[in-house]
Each structure stands twice: as structure tokens, then as C-alpha cells.
Amino acid sequence: MNNLSKTAPGLVMLFLCTVPVPAADRQLLHGHVPKAVSNLKLPPVGRFPATTTLQVAIGLPFRKQGGVSDFLNELYTPGSPNFRRFLTPNQFTEKFGPTEKDYQTLVDFARTNGLTVTCTHPNRKLLDITASVADIERVFHVTMRTYQHPTEARTFFAPDVEPSLDLAVPVLAISGLDSYILPRHLKSNRVTSATLAKGSRYYEGGSGPSGYYNAKDLRTAYAPSVIYTGSGQSVGLLEFSGYYANLVTEYEKS
């Protein structure tokens, strides 16, 4: 056996060990860079501190996106086999929600990458996490920068590029990656007879503090003959731009 034949196996092994192994397919998300940054080409004014902790939520898409639209159309179409055949939350999740396997894969992905899972949800649509800016940059392949707001006297933080994940499970969106839009109090004035048309049957305003309208006033105005009291019922508010928790508490007290 010549020297070449003796060294060939070693060369092959060396070649195999030095060839880079392709990583899992990386999915690129869209719509996470504020349009003020992408369209106005705002220049960054700094880096967002790496040690800052952010609360973000990773959202998964419906398992059958088109099926949800079709079902809703059938639900309200007289003559359809699904007309008014409403589903419970659990039934809807099992029919259209992300699978348990996909949701657990997302949870494992977050924890393996050093992200702290703060809340899971029964419908498996959202996963709440907290993480440092440094970890967010590493996991989502972005650089978090600060920008001067184009219309407000403040800066905001945002990723410089669209986030991407080394994850096979499809991700719909990641909320909480920017502060371009901040929650703010609504400007509300007391309702008085001077602010309403003369002769209005509601000229006295609401029965809440300072003349504000409360739930009883809305019931009287829009559903005077309904006998339900709301006992056992729940109302969900989906707030994409944040909210003030103290306002909810204040409303419940009043």
C-alpha cells in the first residue's frame, strides 16, 4: 500500500471534521421595525443598554389560518351546518390552535437560549418571556438601538433589522421589541348639559365619578331590556400597544 492510500482515510476524516455543518433553517419575521425607522430612514442615536430587561411575547399562528375564516363565515351563515354551533375555548384551541408539541418546542427554545418564561397560555397562542437586551439581540439576531422620535420629544428603542429565529416552529410575531408607541391616558372631560345637544335624554351625563359613564350607564343606553347581570362572564382586551393597569383597577373600584 503506497503512502497516499495510507493517508487518504485521514484526509477524508479531516475534511469531514472541517466542513461546516449547516444550521437549522432560520425564519425571518416581518413588521417589527417601526415604519418611522424603515421609511423615514431615521439614524440611530445610540445603543439600547444591553443589561436592560424587556418583557416580550412570542405569538404563534393559527394551525389552520384559512380554516378559521371559513369556520367564522359558516358560524354566522344561516343554513350552514356550523350555523351558531359555537365552540368552547378548549374546542377552538384543539381545532385551530398551535399543537402542544409546537408550543412545548417554543418553550424549550426560549429556556435553552436563556430566556425566562413568565407565563404560558391555555390556547397556546402566546408565550410571555423576559430577557436582557443582550439575550434578545443574540437569540433574535438583531441590534437594539435608540432613535429620536420624529414627532415627540423623546427617544425610543427598536431593532435595527427584522428579527429571525433558528426555530422550525412557525412564529407569527414578537411583541415588545420597540417603544415607538407608548400607552397614554385618554383625554376625557366631564359630560355636562353644556357639552350635549339641548333636549338630549342623557344631558345629565354618566352616573360615575365626575359625570363619567360606567358599565351601568352603557347597559341602560344599549341593552335596557337584557336581564343578564354579567355574573360568570369575562371580557378580554387585546392591547398591542400596552395599557395602564391602574386604570383598570380604578374602573373596577368605581
Side-chain angles (χ1 to χ4, degrees):
M1 182 176 296
N2 56 37
N3 292 335
L4 179 61
S5 61
K6 292 180 180 179
T7 58
L11 290 174
V12 172
M13 290 301 298
L14 177 62
F15 175 78
L16 291 177
C17 292
T18 56
V19 172
V21 178
D25 292 339
R26 179 175 297 177
Q27 59 175 307
L28 177 67
L29 307 183
H30 300 279
H32 294 73
V33 177
K35 291 187 180 299
V37 175
S38 59
N39 293 354
L40 300 181
K41 307 299 182 182
L42 290 180
V45 297
R47 283 286 297 270
F48 199 41
T51 56
T52 303
T53 298
L54 292 180
Q55 298 179 354
V56 302
I58 304 176
L60 298 182
F62 287 117
R63 188 168 67 251
K64 303 175 182 178
Q65 190 68 45
V68 173
S69 299
D70 293 341
F71 173 75
L72 292 177
N73 287 331
E74 295 173 0
L75 195 63
Y76 297 100
T77 301
S80 167
N82 286 322
F83 180 57
R84 293 186 177 178
R85 297 187 63 179
F86 300 99
L87 301 178
T88 66
N90 287 339
Q91 290 172 333
F92 187 88
T93 297
E94 293 307 312
K95 189 176 182 66
F96 300 110
T99 64
E100 292 185 11
K101 180 180 178 181
D102 283 352
Y103 196 60
Q104 187 59 51
T105 298
L106 177 62
V107 172
D108 294 340
F109 170 82
R111 289 173 173 165
T112 299
N113 283 279
L115 311 180
T116 301
V117 175
T118 58
C119 185
T120 59
H121 299 270
N123 63 6
R124 303 191 287 270
K125 285 284 292 174
L126 285 177
L127 181 68
D128 295 331
I129 63 174
T130 60
S132 68
V133 168
D135 286 335
I136 287 176
E137 291 181 332
R138 173 178 53 83
V139 176
F140 300 138
H141 307 287
V142 298
T143 299
M144 300 295 291
R145 301 190 183 276
T146 56
Y147 302 85
Q148 178 61 47
H149 200 284
T151 60
E152 301 176 13
R154 65 178 179 89
T155 59
F156 66 94
F157 65 85
D160 62 340
V161 295
E162 297 292 353
S164 58
L165 299 87
D166 297 314
L167 178 68
V169 174
V171 170
L172 179 65
I174 305 172
S175 62
L177 291 181
D178 74 89
S179 62
Y180 180 71
I181 298 177
L182 293 178
R184 62 188 69 240
H185 290 275
L186 294 176
K187 295 181 180 179
S188 181
N189 299 320
R190 178 177 177 177
V191 180
T192 65
S193 57
T195 61
L196 296 175
K198 185 177 180 180
S200 170
R201 56 187 293 233
Y202 301 113
Y203 71 92
E204 293 181 352
S207 60
S210 302
Y212 296 146
Y213 290 102
N214 63 19
K216 185 185 298 183
D217 299 318
L218 299 178
R219 175 190 176 97
T220 302
Y222 294 102
S225 61
V226 174
I227 62 174
Y228 295 114
T229 64
S231 176
Q233 301 290 316
S234 298
V235 175
L237 302 177
L238 182 59
E239 301 288 349
F240 287 99
S241 299
Y243 67 97
Y244 287 104
N246 64 300
L247 294 183
V248 178
T249 303
E250 181 181 337
Y251 179 79
E252 292 175 341
K253 288 180 179 180
S254 62

